[in-house]
Amino acid sequence: MKVFCGRANPTTGSVEWLEEDEHYDYHQEIARSSYADMLHDKDRNIKYYQGIRAAVSRVKDRGQKAVVLDIGTGTGLLSMMAVTVGADFCYAIEVFKPMADAAVKIVEKNGFSDKIKVINKHSTEVTIGPDGDMPCRANILVTELFDTELIGEGALPSYEHAHQHLVQEGCEAVPHKATVYAQLVESRRMWSWNKLFPIHVQTSLGERVIVPPAELESCPGAPSVCDIQLNQVSPSDFTVLSDVLPMFSVDFSKQVSSSAACHGRPFEPVASGQAQVVLSWWDIEMDPEGKIRCTMAPFWAHSDPEGLQWRDHWMQCVYFLPQEEPVEQGSALCLVAHHDDYCVWYSLQRTSPEENGRVSQMRPVCDCQAHLLWNRPRFGEINDQDRTDQYIQALRTVLRADSVCLCVSDGSLLSVLAHHLGAEQVFTVESSTASHKLMKKIFKANHLEGKINIIAKRPELLTSADLEGKKVSLLLGEPFFTTSLLPWHNLYFWYVRTAVDQHLGPGAMVMPQAASLHAMVVEFKDLWRIRSPCGDCEGFDVNIMDDMIKQALDFRESKEAEPHPLWEYPCRSLSDPLRILTFDFQQPVPKQPVRAEGSVELRRPGRSHGAILWMEYQLTPDSTISTGLLKPPEDKGDCCWNPHCKQAVYFFSTMLDPRGPLGGPQSVSYTVEFHPHTGDVTMEFRLTDTQDQPSLVEK
């Protein structure tokens, strides 16, 4: 069955009605999931196996049958582990139907259909009784309901219901307990992801400073957690202000409460500084004795930093305090972890709240609009003074005293820069309510009301009256748009430039003047695991998951790359970076596709996991901004990526190894095409051996 879905095209700006398979959302979720990553997580799988084996043994030692309830079974892996180590029966709950169907097939293929029942329901809908889903309550509870924040996937309500309705009192639980840890730090880099810093502009009349509005200064920030690969943050980027503090624990073998609570931990700062950020992670103990432990601790807090298990389905958390506060070494303070049923947040207090109290302050919510418009990388980008200086230098070369500027980017400060640098008149288009409100606040805080005109409509709908009858002499864009996911989505600026062509005066200039799409073949240190075949996992055949993921990827995802912040995922370049396509913003969007064919020579040995693609913007003939590679790769191929942007990763379906049977130098040939009608960029890659005989590796 086909259905029609309305989707906003991030590149062209149009709303399109697309005919999709009725299971489109299922395919999307599978394709973007972390199932492959979890199945490759040996540390997780081994610890779960050991914990389940110990729990089954304890039940058997009491002379009882081992009846297991597995909530969120996924592939059925944990249920199969339970049966393998002696469980008498297992009820495997999975609410996501395609996953439940896969679990049924995997369980059957491994010969456990007689001892595992897969139930396609939410655990809160499971019934007990002669005619129910389960004839009796289970005495072993196995779950994997955790996200990077521990409770963000609804673990607490699920456990609360399970103890009330599905498991026996005093049941065994795997994991047995979870503990959340926190560490207070000062970090200008991470704080720049949450607050707007003063921005300095050197003009002919002296220095001007763009200051943040008072509402932004006092705003507690976005309520959502910032989850990152904390091991990729350099220790030089933060100053530790506290020891690692165990904030709170949850015993999963007892009744769990999902009610709001707060947990205070007194401490004495180990250094003086500005308390800004809380770094947080958790561990799970699989047994009551705490001998089987799986931890998410970053390397500096890990007992075996050399043996860290890389994982992407569980990372570490960065929380921002509502306001930065000065702390002095040795002066007693209290760090408080607050949580409701799904979220955690932190505050710093001078006195300790009632231990494990049930009264928790309200979850922080943005009231300044900035955190609704700008995500954390965007805050960091705007706060990057070096980047701002590059735009200032470029503006100086194109601005004239009589310039009429039109700025088209979401919540951009380019309009303020243009005004301070002497433009006669500046218009800025802010089509969203959030960007309109935010820019008004910024203009008011900097006494620019009436000096910069805000146009609250989509740029394609501009009229001469909106521009007060004037012709634009300089069209500006960073370009940045909140709807963009992949690097080329910001080509929306080109479509806007085409739509406003009638409003451009004779000899009007456009900045950036052009953009180019670049690519490079790389070997990832770890990121390849999220798309690597699962095959045999801890002795169980789960290759049906490979088929599901491949089917999902073929269904939609393989036709385009995936956005990833590569500063978090180290890789080595195997080829030199190559410019593939160029887009001339001085001209309107062409009617015909823009196509490029060629090859990329693999200059370094390694496994070719995929191609990285990014955009570079030519502001002026002498100034270019890169959203990807910031400098040429080092001798060994190590890469430095723009930390404010996500780059596009196109995973090859086959990992290519220049040390393989083909021998000698190899290259990857490519065909890349930009389709103006849809704004899509399609691509195909082929491996070419020394005799120039291509073999298809990805399409």
Side-chain angles (χ1 to χ4, degrees):
M1 176 181 175
K2 297 290 185 179
V3 295
F4 285 91
C5 302
R7 304 184 190 279
N9 187 308
T11 309
T12 65
S14 62
V15 176
E16 302 169 345
W17 290 94
L18 305 176
E19 188 180 35
E20 302 284 8
D21 185 279
E22 64 177 329
H23 298 302
Y24 171 77
D25 289 337
Y26 288 164
H27 284 285
Q28 289 285 76
E29 185 164 339
I30 292 170
R32 293 172 177 168
S33 70
S34 296
Y35 287 118
D37 178 30
M38 288 187 286
L39 293 172
H40 281 293
D41 188 342
K42 291 187 69 67
D43 180 65
R44 162 194 178 271
N45 297 337
I46 290 172
K47 300 295 176 54
Y48 262 102
Y49 181 82
Q50 293 173 340
I52 292 170
R53 181 176 58 189
V56 171
S57 295
R58 288 193 296 272
V59 170
K60 293 284 189 178
D61 289 345
R62 295 196 291 265
Q64 302 174 358
K65 285 188 174 182
V67 181
V68 177
L69 174 63
D70 175 8
I71 299 179
T73 194
T75 62
L77 178 63
L78 302 185
S79 292
M80 293 189 295
M81 287 181 180
V83 172
T84 300
V85 299
D88 294 281
F89 204 85
C90 186
Y91 298 93
I93 314 299
E94 177 54 54
V95 68
F96 183 41
K97 189 176 188 306
M99 199 79 250
D101 292 342
V104 170
K105 294 177 182 177
I106 292 170
V107 166
E108 180 179 353
K109 189 169 185 177
N110 285 272
F112 297 120
S113 296
D114 59 332
K115 288 196 172 185
I116 298 175
K117 178 183 179 182
V118 178
I119 302 172
N120 179 209
K121 288 185 176 181
H122 194 283
S123 64
T124 57
E125 299 172 343
V126 172
T127 57
I128 302 290
D131 299 322
D133 300 304
M134 300 168 55
C136 62
R137 293 185 178 223
N139 55 12
I140 299 177
L141 176 58
V142 175
T143 62
E144 206 281 57
L145 300 172
F146 315 117
D147 65 350
T148 294
E149 201 173 16
L150 183 69
I151 66 172
E153 291 186 1
L156 296 182
S158 295
Y159 272 110
E160 185 174 47
H161 177 271
H163 277 286
Q164 290 173 352
H165 301 286
L166 303 179
V167 296
Q168 299 175 12
E169 185 177 353
C171 72
E172 301 288 342
V174 182
H176 178 80
K177 184 175 77 170
T179 301
V180 173
Y181 299 88
Q183 190 167 33
L184 186 67
V185 303
E186 174 182 351
S187 173
R188 179 175 176 82
R189 179 185 178 187
M190 287 185 270
W191 194 239
S192 76
W193 301 342
N194 185 58
K195 296 289 184 180
L196 180 62
F197 296 167
I199 297 170
H200 300 267
V201 185
Q202 295 294 336
T203 74
S204 59
L205 300 177
E207 183 181 75
R208 300 290 184 92
V209 180
I210 304 172
V211 298
E215 297 97 320
L216 205 160
E217 287 282 85
S218 61
C219 181
S224 58
V225 64
C226 175
D227 54 338
I228 64 171
Q229 292 282 356
L230 199 54
N231 288 311
Q232 297 307 314
V233 176
S234 170
S236 63
D237 282 331
F238 61 92
T239 300
V240 170
L241 300 180
S242 78
D243 293 324
V244 175
L245 305 172
M247 296 305 302
F248 65 92
S249 296
V250 182
D251 186 337
F252 297 126
S253 69
K254 300 178 181 178
Q255 181 61 57
V256 172
S257 173
S258 62
S259 300
C262 64
H263 310 267
R265 288 293 175 264
F267 73 100
E268 292 186 359
V270 297
S272 299
Q274 291 290 321
Q276 299 168 326
V277 172
V278 176
L279 308 180
S280 184
W281 57 89
W282 50 264
D283 64 26
I284 44 179
E285 296 174 4
M286 300 297 185
D287 61 323
E289 295 79 21
K291 296 179 180 179
I292 308 169
R293 183 168 169 264
C294 185
T295 180
M296 307 307 120
F299 67 87
W300 66 86
H302 202 284
S303 59
D304 180 20
E306 298 300 320
L308 278 174
Q309 168 73 53
W310 183 88
R311 46 174 68 97
D312 205 46
H313 58 104
W314 295 331
M315 293 185 279
Q316 294 81 34
C317 301
V318 174
Y319 295 95
F320 304 98
L321 294 177
Q323 301 296 325
E324 62 180 345
E325 298 183 41
V327 299
E328 294 184 7
Q329 183 176 1
S331 178
L333 291 171
C334 184
L335 184 64
V336 183
H338 309 260
H339 73 80
D340 55 23
D341 48 352
Y342 283 90
C343 299
V344 178
W345 62 97
Y346 286 86
S347 65
L348 191 62
Q349 299 181 9
R350 303 292 167 178
T351 58
S352 177
E354 182 181 353
E355 182 69 12
N356 296 340
R358 290 299 174 191
V359 179
S360 178
Q361 72 175 28
M362 293 296 292
R363 179 184 174 196
V365 176
C366 171
D367 55 16
C368 75
Q369 305 297 317
H371 302 91
L372 304 179
L373 179 67
W374 299 334
N375 58 20
R376 273 104 184 198
R378 177 59 173 168
F379 265 97
E381 187 171 58
I382 292 175
N383 284 322
D384 187 337
Q385 186 67 49
D386 291 339
R387 179 180 181 274
T388 298
D389 290 343
Q390 196 169 349
Y391 276 95
I392 291 172
Q393 293 300 323
L395 277 169
R396 285 198 178 106
T397 68
V398 296
L399 274 175
R400 300 189 304 267
D402 60 350
S403 289
V404 176
C405 301
L406 175 62
C407 180
V408 184
S409 282
D410 289 342
S412 173
L413 299 183
L414 276 183
S415 59
V416 182
L417 298 182
H419 171 79
H420 284 324
L421 293 172
E424 179 180 285
Q425 192 161 8
V426 181
F427 298 90
T428 183
V429 176
E430 304 295 344
S431 55
S432 75
T433 301
S435 63
H436 185 231
K437 289 182 177 179
L438 175 61
M439 296 313 293
K440 285 186 68 174
K441 291 177 181 178
I442 291 175
F443 293 166
K444 182 178 180 181
N446 289 276
H447 310 291
L448 297 174
E449 296 168 290
K451 298 178 181 179
I452 300 176
N453 301 68
I454 303 178
I455 303 173
K457 61 168 56 175
R458 291 188 61 83
E460 299 93 330
L461 303 178
L462 281 178
T463 65
S464 179
D466 294 322
L467 299 171
E468 300 177 3
K470 297 183 178 181
K471 290 291 186 180
V472 174
S473 59
L474 178 59
L475 178 64
L476 294 174
E478 296 191 39
F480 169 83
F481 301 99
T482 57
T483 54
S484 298
L485 296 175
L486 291 160
W488 45 86
H489 287 167
N490 282 323
L491 287 175
Y492 175 53
F493 177 77
W494 200 10
Y495 288 83
V496 170
R497 178 259 178 269
T498 304
V500 303
D501 190 64
Q502 61 182 316
H503 302 300
L504 302 181
M509 301 187 68
V510 179
M511 193 188 95
Q513 298 177 353
S516 50
L517 178 66
H518 295 246
M520 187 171 66
V521 178
V522 302
E523 175 184 44
F524 284 108
K525 180 181 179 182
D526 293 300
L527 187 61
W528 60 272
R529 300 174 194 274
I530 70 172
R531 294 292 175 258
S532 180
C534 309
D536 180 85
C537 181
E538 305 306 315
F540 302 102
D541 185 352
V542 295
N543 62 22
I544 290 171
M545 276 307 301
D546 292 335
D547 295 337
M548 284 188 65
I549 293 172
K550 184 177 186 302
Q551 180 186 4
L553 292 170
D554 288 344
F555 180 82
R556 180 79 175 189
E557 293 294 305
S558 65
K559 297 178 183 178
E560 61 180 33
E562 305 174 13
H564 290 281
L566 292 187
W567 73 267
E568 295 184 53
Y569 304 102
C571 63
R572 292 175 54 248
S573 70
L574 302 185
S575 73
D576 291 337
L578 180 70
R579 178 186 299 173
I580 292 180
L581 294 177
T582 299
F583 312 96
D584 185 1
F585 294 162
Q586 302 281 19
Q587 302 297 323
V589 176
K591 301 294 184 183
Q592 301 302 317
V594 180
R595 180 185 176 91
E597 297 183 22
S599 63
V600 182
E601 183 180 350
L602 303 182
R603 296 182 174 274
R604 298 180 181 88
R607 299 184 69 81
S608 302
H609 292 126
I612 309 301
L613 299 102
W614 68 93
M615 298 290 289
E616 295 189 2
Y617 295 97
Q618 184 180 343
L619 304 183
T620 67
D622 301 320
S623 179
T624 300
I625 292 281
S626 173
T627 67
L629 207 60
L630 295 182
K631 59 183 180 181
E634 297 178 0
D635 291 341
K636 294 183 179 180
D638 293 336
C639 302
C640 178
W641 299 101
N642 187 323
H644 311 311
C645 305
K646 289 184 178 181
Q647 293 73 38
V649 180
Y650 198 98
F651 288 102
F652 297 152
S653 59
T654 302
M655 289 185 292
L656 312 177
D657 192 343
R659 298 163 295 191
L662 291 177
Q666 295 177 7
S667 63
V668 175
S669 62
Y670 63 84
T671 301
V672 178
E673 190 166 7
F674 169 68
H675 304 270
H677 179 67
T678 62
D680 292 336
V681 174
T682 57
M683 58 199 72
E684 178 179 284
F685 292 87
R686 293 175 183 268
L687 172 66
T688 306
D689 63 19
T690 52
Q691 283 74 43
D692 294 326
Q693 296 175 343
S695 59
L696 182 66
V697 298
E698 186 67 40
K699 186 175 183 177

